[in-house]
Amino acid sequence: MFSASQSSKAQFLDKARQAREERRELKERERATIQIQALIRRFLCRCHLQREIRREVDDFFGASESGSNKRSALSVFKIARKLLFIFNPKEDKERFEKLCRCILNSMDVENEPKVWYVSLALSKDLTLLWIKQIKDILWFCCEFLKQLKPDILQDSRLVNLHLTMLITFTDTSTWKILRGKGETLRPAMNHICANIMGHLNQKGFYSVLQILLTNGLARSRPSLSKGSLTAVFSLALRPVVAAQFSDNLLRSFLIHIMSVPAIMTHLATLTPERLGVIESHDLFRKFILFLSREAQCRDVCVCLEGSHTLCLLGNLVYLGSLNDRVLEEETAHFVDVLVHMLSYCQKYVSQKKSNLTHWHPVLGWFSQTVDYGLNESMPLLTKQLQHLWGVHLIRILFSDVLSKKLLENQETAQLPMQPISPQNSLPMKNLFKRAFQKSASVRNILKPVGGKRVDSAEVQKVCSICVLYQTTLTTLTQIRLQILTGLTYLDDLLPKLWAFICELGPQGGLKLFLECLNNDTEESKRLLAMLMLFCDCSRHLITILDDIEVYEEQISFKLEELVTISSFLNSFVFKMIWDGIVENARGETLELFHSVHGWLMVLYERDCRRRFAPEDHWLRKDLKPSVLFQELDKDKKRAQLLLQYIPHVIPHKNRVLLFRNMVTKEKEKLGLVETSSASPHVTHITIRRSRMLEDGYEQLRQLSQNAMKGVIRVKFVNDLGVDEAGIDQDGVFKEFLEEIIKKVFDPALNLFKTTSGDERLYPSPTSYIHENYLQLFEFVGKMLGKAVYEGIVVDVPFASFFLSQLLGHHHSVFYSSVDELPSLDSEFYKNLTSIKRYDGDISDLGLTLSYDEDVMGQLVCHELVPGGKTIPVTNENKISYIHLMAHFRMHTQIKSQTAALISGFRSIIKPEWIRMFSAPELQRLISGDNAEIDLEDLKKHTVYYGGFHGSHRVIIWLWDILANDFSPEERAMFLKFVTSCSRPPLLGFAYLKPPFSIRCVEVSDDQDTGDTLGSVLRGFFTIRKKEPGGRLPTSSTCFNLLKLPNYSKKSILREKLRYAISMNTGFELS
């Protein structure tokens, strides 16, 4: 019973709780319903109100368009107030446009003050409301301007409408209300305009104009009309002028307006009168003075970042080119500003691509974000920047240097060298030479003289300008060549800059700049920047000038000056390396070294190709080769750097010794040298004389690299299939090598061709007719490398351009195919350079960017560029045509053959071993000394056997015949007869191994059993068994041995020796 009553109580309580919760939920739903209804009613009411207002606005503008009656300003104000109350940019865009037109129309009405919208500003009750309304309307105009695209016709009309609104209400000049008696109101109205302008500025007015200008101008063709551009620029200037060019507004103008790509160029093209306004306000000077304060310049650069900083720079340079007077007066500030801006950009210029860099068409790889929307305007920006290295600005900036007169004299300075060109011997006249004269001038040779203080204002100014151009070169990486070409355009700038450098410091030249290297001061850096600029520009100039312009016309520099300059550069680079500066060089010092070294090597290679400097000009007398070799053995860094960068300061003979030493060290390392404990591995090959090339190719091409470098023994099989007698102690291999090289380089085989004129060898473009021709070229390369490796000289005269490729010079950025072209075909070179000098319209000649060649009876057209046969050669592309043609003839045509030969050659000879030689020196390394045979040297290093001695009458006759009866050609044949090589060893006969020897013989070779006591005594006392007049002298080339019978008469010796050396047969070797 008790439990049942408890259960019913719990149920009752539970029901009561549920009832309470239901009532609470009901009340919540009722409240939510009321709230939702209120919101919906409010929304519907608002929508209704908006519809009503929009209908009212539409009715108002509809009546305005249909009726002729003019609406009062008050009615326009009221309808505008309603529209702005419910304004939605998407829905009310057209209504807003109608409102703007209505307001502008009201301002154009004549003599009806109540219609003029601006008249409400005079109403005491409405002034503040009107000012707020016009501020809102104008800012909505700005918001629309940000979104409009001027290249769309409809949008361009709206741009004009909104700009007209802004133009009308930010200046009182068009307000009719101020005419006549209303003139007294102008100050108050100007104050209202200033208030409106200030409000717009606070909201971001300049950002709006920047977006509009960028949308309209940052493209290949501007889409802003003349009127629109004029309006925008006028609007941009108004706050600046109103604020009397305050720093804040100048800053905004520079950041937002002057950073628009090429805006000054567009103004000059579309609305040049705006540039007149800039000039009238002296804005260029104000910009320069504002930015000349480093903190403000940095602030502007940081706000703009790289791409837009460059755009600002371009506009300033363009303005500078139009304002000569200001530029001359403010040169120092102008230069400082450009250097600061370029230096800011340079911090983000990267040498290589990475995840953090972006590609910029002017700066290259750039580690700041790049605005790719500006890419279309880059050509225009580049044109603006080109003014900086154009003739006009260079004349203004370098006026102190260019105003110098290079002294002239009646006699040319005497230098210890042969006159190179006929101009040097002409009678000199004391006449002023014009800047662009195309002949050798008669001025004094410029040499370091000193005398000008480096802290003088003139020197500091020139240094600053050099810093500017050097910074430009290192920042605008993608147009570097354009800049260098511009700086070298004036023929007299570089010689006058050199004259200026010669006058610096107490003694002038080298000493001052070496001191600067050790001083880490700002002044030293500026002086070194001058030297660096001079080197970069001069190197570029000499690289693009051909031999006629350098040697005959002597453009910019006289040859004697190139001698002086190269001497200075040689000493400077040597001191930088030898004093340990290069070892630890970083940044600017390293750049300076590469700049000076690059100019030096261009001059050195030009001198190697065609001499202009005296004998031994490049050597350093204060460098002892023995000291250098000791330091190389100790792996001293400076010695290695010297060998890497300027090996030419070491005498050639010492470099050859060093090369041979390197080869010997490698042989020892590879175990290729005979020692007391081990013998090197020997490779034996059998060669049929009738198939020497085929057998040699088959047996040697499969050898490993080390086996090719090792000992190779050759056994010849004669035409009868019988092994030739003799043991090869390198002599037979020498003969085999020389003979096989003679065969492969024979032009009749068509692996190689000879150049026209001096008949030097280079790979034949049609060698592809041979099967496996590339493997053949690789084999030839290995054979040539083996000859050099073993010190065997072979008579193979290569074309200079091919030797340059063997050395790898053609990979240098300063390599010019045109300069090397005479070594291939001098007549073709003359024809090409005549195109360069052709004064008329080159297109009249009917040339195209292609080359027609007769290949085995068929005319083949080679296109120099894709589609070249359809591209005509014009005055604009003729220089490119010349370089493309030279590159095709010397590189493209024989690219695969050259690559294969170089690959084979480098498998034996390491590239770093031969980098210390120039092209002519490499030829001497391959072919021996081309000097005449030094008989005294040969006599001094001759060994005698069989009773012969230096005073023996037969020996005396022999040397006398060689010296007085034989021609140089016969002496070369004699040397070939006894050593198998027609040229003497490069270092003299002391390096002939084994040494040259002469032995007295009594019997024929097949009966000869060697020296005996009797034969030696008979030879010594000239006792003969019988007259040997019937026997010929013979030789054992493996021992460099001449076997000479004991002739009774000098005439017999002469006749027999001449006959023996002229016999063109193989040697049967003892």
Side-chain angles (χ1 to χ4, degrees), residues 395 398-407 432-435 443 446 452 458 462 490-503 530 534 538 556-557 561 565:
R395 285 196 186 282
F398 279 111
S399 56
D400 290 348
V401 173
L402 290 168
S403 62
K404 295 176 72 68
K405 285 188 178 179
L406 298 175
L407 294 174
F432 178 71
K433 301 295 177 185
R434 296 180 60 180
R443 54 181 164 74
L446 300 171
K452 195 184 286 286
E458 181 192 8
V462 174
L490 288 178
D491 284 351
D492 58 343
L493 175 61
L494 290 175
K496 286 180 176 179
L497 189 58
W498 173 243
F500 192 84
I501 289 170
C502 287
E503 293 175 359
M530 182 196 298
F534 171 73
S538 303
S556 285
F557 294 108
E561 282 162 7
I565 291 167

Side-chain angles (χ1 to χ4, degrees), residues 27-78:
K27 285 180 183 178
E28 284 291 330
R29 277 201 296 272
E30 284 176 358
R31 190 167 71 254
T33 304
I34 293 168
Q35 199 171 358
I36 290 169
Q37 286 174 344
L39 283 169
I40 289 174
R41 278 199 302 271
R42 187 168 68 186
F43 173 74
L44 292 173
C45 184
R46 196 163 61 242
C47 288
H48 176 72
L49 179 63
Q50 287 173 352
R51 279 197 301 273
E52 287 297 316
I53 291 173
R54 287 189 174 106
R55 191 179 300 118
E56 188 180 343
V57 170
D58 291 342
D59 291 344
F60 179 86
F61 291 130
S64 296
E65 288 168 7
S66 59
S68 58
N69 59 325
K70 300 180 180 69
R71 299 285 187 175
S72 68
L74 186 60
S75 63
V76 174
F77 171 78
K78 287 178 178 177

Side-chain angles (χ1 to χ4, degrees), residues 219-230:
R219 50 189 61 246
S220 50
R221 291 183 61 189
S223 56
L224 275 181
S225 64
K226 176 181 177 178
S228 298
L229 183 57
T230 305

